[in-house]
């Protein structure tokens, strides 16, 4: 199978989405099956391409395929081209592989939803847009996929729009992401002004020749875009509200697609960031702050999906931190992105399984002791839990620990923050485990927990296996380092202490987080949340992110709008209306001389003639 058929990766789910969304009720009976088959076909094709690339030399694994001329304006011609290389193929496998498992899970989860066919159409649209984003060979085409992902997320987050909270969450995600999209659109326009093109090859070749000021501006523009899609501070507020969508949507957004787009953009733009320390430092700061902020938020959420959403925000922060470290961190940013895709999809789908057995109740204070009636869900969720904590030999141990090591090698303060984040992660994830699966049951009388059907548990089992074995991408001869090095480079940096000592320190910090959580939540947990300390309230309210956005952006925006409206009404409209009133009044007064009576006009003529005669006589006499 030829690489020239790469476009089929995108075309198959896009065609499936078109059939499901335009086919109407005639596709209801089998729409979910077609919707699930599409990403499976793309995944199979991606595996074939991946295997073919294994037999090629490192320099031959990157190819750009021109499909057609997209548009031409004057001397400017933009081609619709796709890039298949070691970086994009990893994203293809993650998006289609994990995405397929989420589709299979959705067959059971959405079984009784009357709009299930439409739901699968939206899922396919999401997959197609994300594949276009990661396969595009041009930033302008990336922008098309970028906006497609934004549209699909809006449709899926607000899928249950009969709930006001879901409709509001969808609009919030859409608006906040538009703020980030300004950064990408400005970056693309700047690339055209600086390089005459926005193709990756042209931008990468010209990056080292651009001024440091422009390199920094480009890096910050791209970072703004990444903050929007990957829910990084200060554009993180949409992520927790996005839990209003069906649980498979949460898994797809948080594990395989949308939030990974920002990390991909930064790593793909490595040529720009390598010539600007200021922009790279900004990426590190944003990632570090978000890693800690997300972890703190996760500590105080009783909603199981929102606790995991805070976790996603934190883990993406780790990836951004690594991406900002340059060649020493690019590989590990992508490595953690992959392993996170496995264990976070596992835990989100596990949370959906718990909700399925608990009458859609998301409050962990109403759970407890679910390990007995939901054994498969418990064991698979536990695998994700151990992976995110970085317990060997689970996948997170090999990816997140490498980020912490790279952080310490670059800057001790950043390293300490990353280490602190690992301890807080251990606390809030242990809290989730204890409140959900251990302790005494706190169920309502009409709730009868039960295991989910096999169509939902098999994806959990596969993802649990990947959460356990995903670390093989690194410890099997440092495979992922060698695979990505030709694209993003790699520089081995050593932390102040040996890797073994660093590992032991990290595990000790994680153990402290676990112990604190056990001591706090081993006792009876009240069904209603206590008032809590000011710190707890701070975390429950998402660190007042919404209040900050309202104070800094929304209210000033409203006041600016009102001022402009006032100026428009009193200034522009006032001038126009004033002139109209002036001429209207003047015409009204002149109208008095137009009576319509012949005698009046005759008298005017007499007076006029007399005036002319008098004037002529006066001239003659003078």
């Amino acid at each position: 199978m030829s690489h020239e058929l790469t476009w089929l990766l995108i075309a198959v789910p896009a065609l499936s989405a078109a059939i499901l969304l335009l086919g109407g009720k005639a596709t209801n009976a089998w729409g979910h099956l077609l919707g699930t088959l599409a990403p499976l076909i793309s995944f199979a094709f991606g595996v074939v391409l991946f295997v073919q690339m294994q037999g090629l030399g490192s320099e031959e694994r990157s190819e750009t395929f021109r499909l057609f001329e997209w548009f031409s304006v004057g001397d400017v011609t933009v081609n619709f081209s796709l890039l298949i290389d070691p970086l994009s193929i990893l994203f293809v496998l993650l998006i289609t592989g994990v995405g397929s498992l989420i589709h299979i899970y959705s067959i059971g989860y959405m079984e009784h939803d009357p709009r299930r066919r439409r739901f699968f159409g939206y899922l396919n649209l999401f997959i197609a847009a994300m594949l276009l984003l990661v396969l595009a060979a041009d930033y302008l085409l990336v922008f098309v996929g970028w906006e497609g992902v934004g549209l699909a997320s809006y449709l899926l987050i607000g899928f249950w729009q009969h709930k006001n909270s879901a409709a509001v969450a969808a609009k919030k995600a859409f608006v906040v992401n538009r703020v980030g999209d300004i950064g990408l659109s400005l970056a693309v326009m700047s690339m055209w002004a600086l390089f005459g093109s926005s193709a990756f090859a042209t931008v990468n070749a010209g990056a080292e020749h651009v001024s440091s000021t422009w390199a920094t501006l480009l890096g910050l523009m791209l970072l703004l875009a990444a903050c929007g899609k990957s829910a990084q501070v200060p554009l993180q507020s949409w992520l927790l509200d996005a839990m209003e969508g069906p649980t498979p949507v949460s898994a797809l957004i948080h594990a395989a697609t949308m939030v990974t787009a920002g990390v991909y953009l930064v790593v793909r733009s490595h040529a720009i960031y390598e010539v600007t320390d200021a922009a790279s430092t900004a990426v590190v700061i944003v990632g570090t702050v978000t890693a800690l902020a997300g972890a703190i938020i996760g500590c105080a959420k009783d909603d199981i999906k929102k606790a995991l959403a805070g976790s996603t925000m934190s883990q993406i922060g780790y990836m951004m931190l690594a991406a900002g470290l340059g060649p020493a961190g690019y590989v590990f940013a992508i490595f953690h992105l992959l392993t996170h895709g496995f264990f976070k999809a596992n835990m989100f789908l596990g949370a959906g399984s718990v909700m399925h057995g608990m009458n859609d109740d998301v409050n962990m204070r109403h759970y407890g002791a679910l390990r007995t009636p939901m054994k498969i869900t418990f064991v698979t969720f536990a695998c994700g839990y151990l992976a995110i904590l970085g317990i060997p030999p689970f996948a997170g141990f090999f990816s997140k620990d490498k980020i912490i090591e790279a952080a310490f090698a670059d800057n001790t303060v950043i390293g300490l923050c990353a280490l602190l984040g690992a301890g807080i992660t251990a606390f809030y994830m242990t809290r989730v485990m204890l409140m959900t699966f251990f302790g005494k049951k706190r169920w309502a009388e009409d709730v009868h927990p039960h295991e989910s059907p096999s169509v939902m548990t098999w994806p959990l089992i596969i993802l649990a296996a990947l959460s356990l074995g995903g670390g093989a991408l690194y410890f099997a001869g440092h495979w992922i380092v060698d695979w990505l090095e030709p694209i993003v480079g790699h520089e081995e940096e050593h932390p102040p202490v040996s890797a073994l000592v660093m590992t032991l320190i990290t595990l000790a910090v994680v153990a402290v987080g676990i112990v604190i959580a056990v001591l706090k939540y081993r006792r009876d947990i009240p069904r209603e949340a206590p008032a809590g300390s000011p710190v707890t309230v701070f975390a429950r309210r998402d660190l007042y992110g919404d209040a900050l956005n309202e104070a800094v952006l929304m209210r000033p925006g409203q006041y600016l709008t009102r001022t402009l409206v006032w100026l428009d009404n009193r200034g522009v409209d006032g001038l126009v209306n004033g002139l109209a009133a002036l001429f209207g009044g003047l015409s009204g007064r002149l109208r008095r001389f137009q009576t319509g009576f012949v005698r009046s006009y005759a008298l005017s003529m007499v007076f006029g003639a007399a005036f002319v005669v008098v004037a002529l006589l006066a001239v003659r006499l003078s």
Side-chain angles (χ1 to χ4, degrees):
M1 194 174 295
S2 174
H3 283 53
E4 284 83 351
L5 297 179
T6 301
W7 60 274
L8 287 175
L9 287 167
I10 305 168
V12 171
L15 177 60
S16 173
I19 293 173
L20 295 178
L21 297 177
L22 301 177
K25 295 181 179 179
T27 62
N28 280 352
W30 44 267
H32 59 288
L33 299 178
L34 175 63
T36 303
L37 181 63
L40 284 170
I41 292 174
S42 292
F43 176 68
F45 184 38
V47 170
V48 171
L49 289 175
F50 177 72
V51 172
Q52 285 184 345
M53 293 173 70
Q54 298 294 313
L56 302 175
S58 59
E59 300 301 322
E60 301 173 321
R61 290 173 181 162
S62 298
E63 282 193 74
T64 301
F65 302 99
R66 177 184 178 276
L67 298 184
F68 53 85
E69 182 181 301
W70 188 7
F71 63 85
S72 180
V73 179
D75 296 332
V76 175
T77 299
V78 178
N79 295 318
F80 194 103
S81 300
L82 301 180
L83 171 64
I84 187 76
D85 68 359
L87 178 60
S88 62
I89 195 64
L90 290 181
F91 274 85
V92 166
L93 295 177
L94 175 68
I95 295 164
T96 57
V98 174
S100 295
L101 293 174
I102 293 171
H103 277 68
I104 294 170
Y105 177 95
S106 299
I107 294 175
Y109 191 88
M110 301 295 289
E111 181 179 5
H112 301 295
D113 195 293
R115 301 167 66 236
R116 180 168 67 165
R117 179 259 309 168
R118 182 179 294 273
F119 178 77
F120 276 86
Y122 291 159
L123 287 183
N124 281 182
L125 178 63
F126 209 145
I127 294 289
M130 189 66 191
L131 287 172
L132 176 61
L133 192 159
V134 300
L135 287 170
D138 189 299
Y139 282 99
L140 189 58
L141 191 55
V142 166
F143 188 74
V144 176
W146 196 268
E147 294 304 300
V149 168
L151 170 62
S153 67
Y154 169 78
L155 296 172
L156 286 168
I157 293 170
F159 184 74
W160 287 329
Q161 69 265 31
H162 59 273
K163 299 192 302 181
N164 182 64
S165 56
V168 171
K171 288 188 289 184
K172 184 176 182 179
F174 193 82
V175 171
V176 173
N177 272 273
R178 296 294 73 73
V179 176
D181 293 351
I182 293 173
L184 184 55
S185 60
L186 289 175
V188 172
M189 289 186 281
S190 299
M191 290 170 185
W192 277 98
L194 293 169
F195 310 115
S197 171
S198 57
F200 290 156
T202 304
V203 173
N204 290 343
E208 61 182 12
H209 303 297
V210 75
S211 69
S212 60
T213 300
W214 267 111
T216 300
L217 288 174
L218 282 175
L220 294 177
M221 292 172 193
L222 294 170
L223 175 59
L224 177 62
C227 285
K229 276 292 183 288
S230 292
Q232 300 294 282
V233 172
L235 301 180
Q236 82 289 354
S237 61
W238 66 269
L239 189 67
L240 281 86
D241 290 352
M243 297 303 99
E244 292 294 335
T247 300
V249 174
S250 304
L252 193 63
I253 288 177
H254 287 248
T257 55
M258 187 166 175
V259 295
T260 65
V263 180
Y264 169 80
L265 182 67
V266 172
V267 174
R268 179 60 81 183
S269 306
H270 62 92
I272 294 173
Y273 286 102
E274 285 172 12
V275 295
T276 166
D277 290 337
S280 298
T281 301
V283 175
V284 171
I285 292 173
V286 166
T288 304
V289 171
T290 307
L292 292 175
I296 292 170
I297 290 172
C299 291
K301 293 297 182 182
D302 293 331
D303 183 323
I304 187 171
K305 290 173 65 178
K306 289 191 175 183
L308 293 177
S311 169
T312 296
M313 177 180 158
S314 177
Q315 296 303 306
I316 299 294
Y318 273 104
M319 300 171 208
M320 294 294 286
L321 188 166
L325 296 177
Y330 291 138
V331 170
F332 300 123
I334 299 302
F335 184 27
H336 193 52
L337 185 150
L338 295 175
T339 60
H340 176 265
F342 302 150
F343 61 69
K344 187 52 63 67
N346 175 21
M347 288 191 287
F348 262 112
L349 296 184
S353 181
V354 170
M355 292 165 56
H356 183 269
M358 294 294 292
N359 294 352
D360 290 328
D361 190 350
V362 297
N363 192 337
M364 293 186 292
R365 292 186 178 276
H366 302 165
Y367 294 168
L370 291 180
R371 68 186 185 280
T372 302
M374 307 183 71
K375 293 183 175 63
I376 297 176
T377 300
F378 165 64
V379 172
T380 55
F381 195 98
C383 289
Y385 161 74
L386 294 172
I388 194 173
L389 261 60
I391 304 298
F394 289 85
F397 169 75
F398 299 95
S399 58
K400 190 168 73 173
D401 279 29
K402 283 297 176 183
I403 293 177
I404 295 175
E405 290 179 17
F408 267 108
D410 183 79
N411 184 286
T412 302
V413 174
I414 298 298
L416 289 172
C417 289
L419 187 61
L420 175 62
I424 301 175
T425 299
F427 173 82
Y428 72 72
M429 284 308 307
T430 302
R431 175 179 180 269
V432 170
M433 286 293 293
L434 293 174
M435 293 181 71
T436 304
F437 297 105
F438 292 89
K440 297 179 180 179
K441 63 181 183 180
R442 302 180 297 277
W443 321 327
E445 293 182 0
D446 60 338
V447 174
H448 305 285
H450 57 279
E451 189 58 87
S452 299
S454 58
V455 72
M456 293 172 63
T457 55
W458 271 109
L460 294 178
I461 294 170
I462 295 172
L463 289 168
L466 292 171
S467 300
L468 172 60
L473 295 174
Y474 179 76
F475 69 75
H478 295 189
W479 178 86
I480 195 167
V481 175
D482 298 334
W483 179 256
L484 290 176
E485 188 171 6
I487 305 300
V488 299
H490 181 64
E491 294 179 4
E492 194 69 40
E493 293 192 15
H494 302 284
V497 296
S498 68
L500 177 59
V501 173
M502 195 72 252
T503 296
L504 293 175
I505 292 174
T506 303
L507 290 175
V509 172
V510 168
V512 170
I514 294 173
V515 170
I516 294 174
V518 170
L519 292 175
K520 183 173 178 61
Y521 292 99
R522 66 178 178 177
R523 299 181 296 273
D524 291 341
I525 299 171
R527 281 179 55 84
E528 299 298 328
S533 65
V535 176
T536 301
V537 175
F538 184 52
R540 284 176 182 166
R541 296 185 180 178
D542 304 339
L543 310 186
Y544 294 104
D546 287 335
L548 179 63
N549 288 340
E550 180 177 341
V552 175
L553 299 174
M554 193 183 84
R555 294 304 177 193
Q558 286 181 333
Y559 296 142
L560 176 62
T561 302
R562 291 169 184 170
T563 302
L564 292 176
V565 169
W566 183 87
L567 289 174
D568 183 59
N569 290 336
R570 298 298 178 89
V572 178
D573 286 355
L575 177 61
V576 173
N577 294 335
L579 288 173
L582 173 64
F583 284 101
L586 181 62
S587 64
R589 286 168 174 77
L590 292 175
R591 193 182 301 119
R592 296 174 182 174
F593 297 99
Q594 301 294 326
T595 63
F597 296 113
V598 173
R599 61 179 180 272
S600 298
Y601 298 148
L603 182 61
S604 299
M605 293 172 67
V606 170
F607 281 118
F611 176 77
V612 171
V613 170
V614 171
L616 290 174
L617 289 173
V619 171
R620 181 175 293 275
L621 291 174
S622 64

